[in-house]
Each structure stands twice: as C-alpha cells, then as structure tokens.
Amino acid sequence: GQAGSTADLNTASVALSQLSYGPENETRIVGQATFFVHPFSGRYSASLLLDFGPRIAQRHGAVEHRPLGRSVGIGAEVAQAFELDRLTGRCLGCGNPYCEWKCPVHNYIPNWLKLIDEGNLFEAAELSHQTNTLPEVCGRVCPQEIQCEGKCIVGKKGEPVAIGNLERFAADHERAHGTGELPPTAESTGKKVAVVGSGPSGLTVAGDLIVKGHDVTVMEAFHKSGGVLVYGIPEFRLPKAIVAQEVNFLERLGVMVECNAVVGRTVSLDELFEEGYDAIYLGVGAGLPRFMNIPGENLIGILSANEYLTRANLMKAYLFPDVDTPIPKGKNVVVLGAGNVAMDSARTAMRLGAEK
C-alpha cells in the first residue's frame, strides 16, 4: 500500500534486512506491528515488532554488529519483503510444475501456493507437511535458487515466485496460531527402529516412521538434539526455537529422543539389535571437516568452519567467559571458501567484531 494508507496493513508480511535507518525514513510503531515507510517508493511494509537493540545504518559500507544469540533485523524471519497477494498471484499453476519435480521431496508447491493465495494458510501448511516434516526449516535454509525457484517458469522472464518465503510464512503462521493438534498415527506395528543422529535427516525419518505405527528412538551424540540445524546453521539464519519446537512435536507424537548417546562408542549396532531394535537408520551427517593439508593449518587461531560454528552456535562461545567455551575473535579474518558454510562463518566473524 502507499504511505499513509491502512487498507492492506493486515495483508503485508515483510522483512527489511537492508533497511537504512536515516532521517529520510519514517518509522512508526502501531500496536504490535512496525510500519516502515520507504523514502523513494513511498510504499509501506509491515513486520512484527521485535527488540533487537540499537540499529546502525548500513549505508556507505557501514556494518551492523549484533549479538550472535539474536536474529539480525526482521530479515532473520523472512528473507525479503513481500506481499502475499502479489507473490502467490504470480504463480502460473503450471500443468507440468517444474518447481515440484525439482524439489527433492516433491512438495505440492502449486497447490499450497494456491491455498495461500486464497487465504487458507492452515490448509496450505497442512498440505506442505504431507511431504515435508520441516517446512519452517526448509523455507529458510534450502537452496531454492537451484531447486524449486531455480526451475520456476516465472523466473525465465524475471524474479521467480518466492516459494521458500511463502513456505515458511504458511508454516510459521500455523505454528504460531494453529491448534497444535497432532496428525493421526497408524496402529502400532510392534516394530522398533533406532535413528542414529537427530539432524534434518534423522528427524524426517523419525517423523515418517512414527506416524506409520513404529516405535522410534532417536539417538544424538551431542547434548542437544537438532544436528547441523543446531550446531552448524547460525541463529540469524535459523532460529533455534523453531528446531526445538520441531523436536518437541516429534516427542509429542511418541518419538523418544536420547542425547549424549554416542552410537559406536557407548553402544554398538550389534548391541542395539540385541536390545530388540528391528532396524537402525544411520543419519550421522557430514560432521568431519576437510583440511587442505598445507603448512600452518594447525596453528593457533586457525579453525575449521565446523569447529568455529559449533563453538558459536551450540556452545554459545560468544558469551565467554559467562560460558566455558571460548572462541577466537579477530579484527582481520580470512575465510577460505565461498559456499553456505563459508558465508555463515564470515557473517559470524562480523558479529564477533571483525572489521574486515
């Protein structure tokens, strides 16, 4: 809507991760929502009112430093500003939905986009959950640009439909405003399954098996469940409260979660079978880093991204000395690599005070 208009305020769902906070921007607080008026377009956008501390302008190369334990701007919740009616309406409803075929779990993307467009957010979230145990997570961290959005026909002539943003919007809406009702489960089969690892793979398998009537136990080596969702992906990309709620949802369904269970050390696979498990799923992830085997890589101050992010995310080393785990902090930091993990490391370093 245009600045000053209130007709669509309830339909705008927005994140402004790059918003400049200068004198030319007007910020008004209305109830539980914040309405930002853009200086050039004159359009407003609405977001939840959250307290993230002092905001520093990001113009002219200035960088905003925030604690690692808190999300960075509203952009940690929604990747880019969007209006639901505009974005969902851009979907062509293709008879041969390439977005769906390219999705690894073949989400019914055009179907739940249509439901969102019609305002049926709960039905959209329910349909999304039929093929995806973790839509709130996937909507935030999946590489949509090379999967569903990368194959979107609309994207051939411009920006693709914001499938990831809309997926997590519907899932977040259901999580915040839904009844919390559990899905129906099949009668018990009497079969016991051990799931080794509580990362996205293990949680997905546990969710699929428990509704089929199997007895499922998830075994996690760390003291907290979630795997890479907890130790690897920073809070500003994936709020840990979402992961905790997903684990709690599985526990309510009947899944048993055991932390500090190092399968292969504290118990062997043969011993698990002897304890009565009929099947074992190994979802141990790719937790070991790959080194370059070059001189100096074992010097103090040089860490693998795995260790660096685990210290910051799982062990909350940014709070040292209030916590036991320290983490190196430097003004000039070099990150070798340019993938998702490297970007997470670079952004973490900036939040720990790096200037370059």
Side-chain angles (χ1 to χ4, degrees):
Q2 292 298 314
S5 169
T6 58
D8 312 284
L9 292 183
N10 292 329
T11 65
S13 179
V14 187
L16 303 173
S17 58
Q18 300 299 320
L19 180 66
S20 299
Y21 289 85
E24 70 273 24
N25 290 73
E26 178 187 359
T27 303
R28 291 179 289 133
I29 308 298
V30 181
Q32 293 301 308
T34 303
F35 300 103
F36 301 97
V37 179
H38 298 247
F40 301 110
S41 66
R43 296 182 64 82
Y44 69 76
S45 51
S47 65
L48 291 178
L49 175 59
L50 299 176
D51 177 19
F52 290 107
R55 296 181 171 97
I56 302 174
Q58 294 184 340
R59 295 168 297 166
H60 309 301
V63 177
E64 185 173 7
H65 293 285
R66 297 182 184 275
L68 276 176
R70 309 176 79 183
S71 302
V72 179
I74 312 300
E77 296 303 317
V78 184
Q80 61 183 5
F82 65 84
E83 295 165 289
L84 291 180
D85 54 349
R86 180 176 64 84
L87 286 189
T88 53
R90 295 177 65 231
C91 178
L92 301 177
C94 303
N96 187 18
Y98 291 109
C99 57
E100 185 175 321
W101 310 142
K102 189 63 175 178
C103 174
V105 296
H106 303 303
N107 281 329
Y108 304 133
I109 296 172
N111 304 73
W112 50 251
L113 283 179
K114 186 174 185 296
L115 288 171
I116 296 175
D117 191 36
E118 294 170 347
N120 299 316
L121 298 181
F122 293 121
E123 291 85 347
E126 181 181 356
L127 184 60
S128 178
H129 270 287
Q130 289 183 16
T131 53
N132 185 3
T133 305
L134 307 168
E136 300 99 323
V137 174
C138 292
R140 286 174 166 83
V141 300
C142 267
Q144 289 99 0
E145 67 278 2
I146 61 173
Q147 294 179 352
C148 54
E149 293 181 15
K151 288 296 182 179
C152 176
I153 297 299
V154 176
K156 300 293 183 181
K157 295 293 185 179
E159 288 295 318
V161 176
I163 297 171
N165 285 343
L166 294 164
E167 177 183 29
R168 65 182 175 184
F169 177 83
D172 284 351
H173 181 82
E174 193 277 334
R175 178 167 53 89
H177 305 291
T179 62
E181 182 180 355
L182 297 176
T185 58
E187 292 186 9
S188 175
T189 63
K191 300 293 185 181
K192 290 180 60 177
V193 181
V195 176
V196 182
S198 67
S201 173
L203 295 180
T204 298
V205 169
D208 287 346
L209 294 179
I210 195 70
V211 298
K212 295 181 183 297
H214 305 309
D215 185 1
V216 182
T217 300
V218 176
M219 301 177 180
E220 169 58 45
F222 282 138
H223 63 279
K224 185 178 294 186
S225 55
V228 70
L229 304 177
V230 172
Y231 75 77
I233 302 176
E235 175 80 14
F236 51 79
R237 273 222 296 147
L238 178 61
K240 300 303 172 274
I242 292 176
V243 182
Q245 190 157 352
E246 290 294 343
V247 174
N248 176 260
F249 175 77
L250 293 178
E251 289 178 324
R252 289 170 55 214
L253 279 172
V255 174
M256 297 293 295
V257 179
E258 297 181 5
C259 294
N260 300 308
V262 187
V263 175
R265 298 285 185 176
T266 58
V267 63
S268 69
L269 298 183
D270 289 336
E271 289 173 330
L272 288 177
F273 282 123
E274 291 173 1
E275 290 178 10
Y277 286 97
D278 299 287
I280 301 173
Y281 176 79
L282 300 180
V284 296
L288 292 179
R290 292 184 61 186
F291 290 97
M292 301 173 66
N293 297 319
I294 58 178
E297 67 180 10
N298 60 342
L299 295 177
I300 295 176
I302 298 177
L303 290 81
S304 68
N306 179 283
E307 178 182 353
Y308 186 66
L309 292 173
T310 299
R311 285 174 177 266
N313 299 327
L314 182 65
M315 306 307 296
K316 302 187 183 300
Y318 54 87
L319 297 176
F320 184 82
D322 295 332
V323 298
D324 295 331
T325 304
I327 192 170
K329 298 180 182 180
K331 295 298 182 182
N332 296 289
V333 178
V334 174
V335 177
L336 302 183
N340 284 335
V341 175
M343 293 300 105
D344 287 343
S345 299
R347 296 174 68 185
T348 296
M350 298 297 288
R351 285 159 177 79
L352 288 174
E355 296 177 352
K356 181 179 180 182

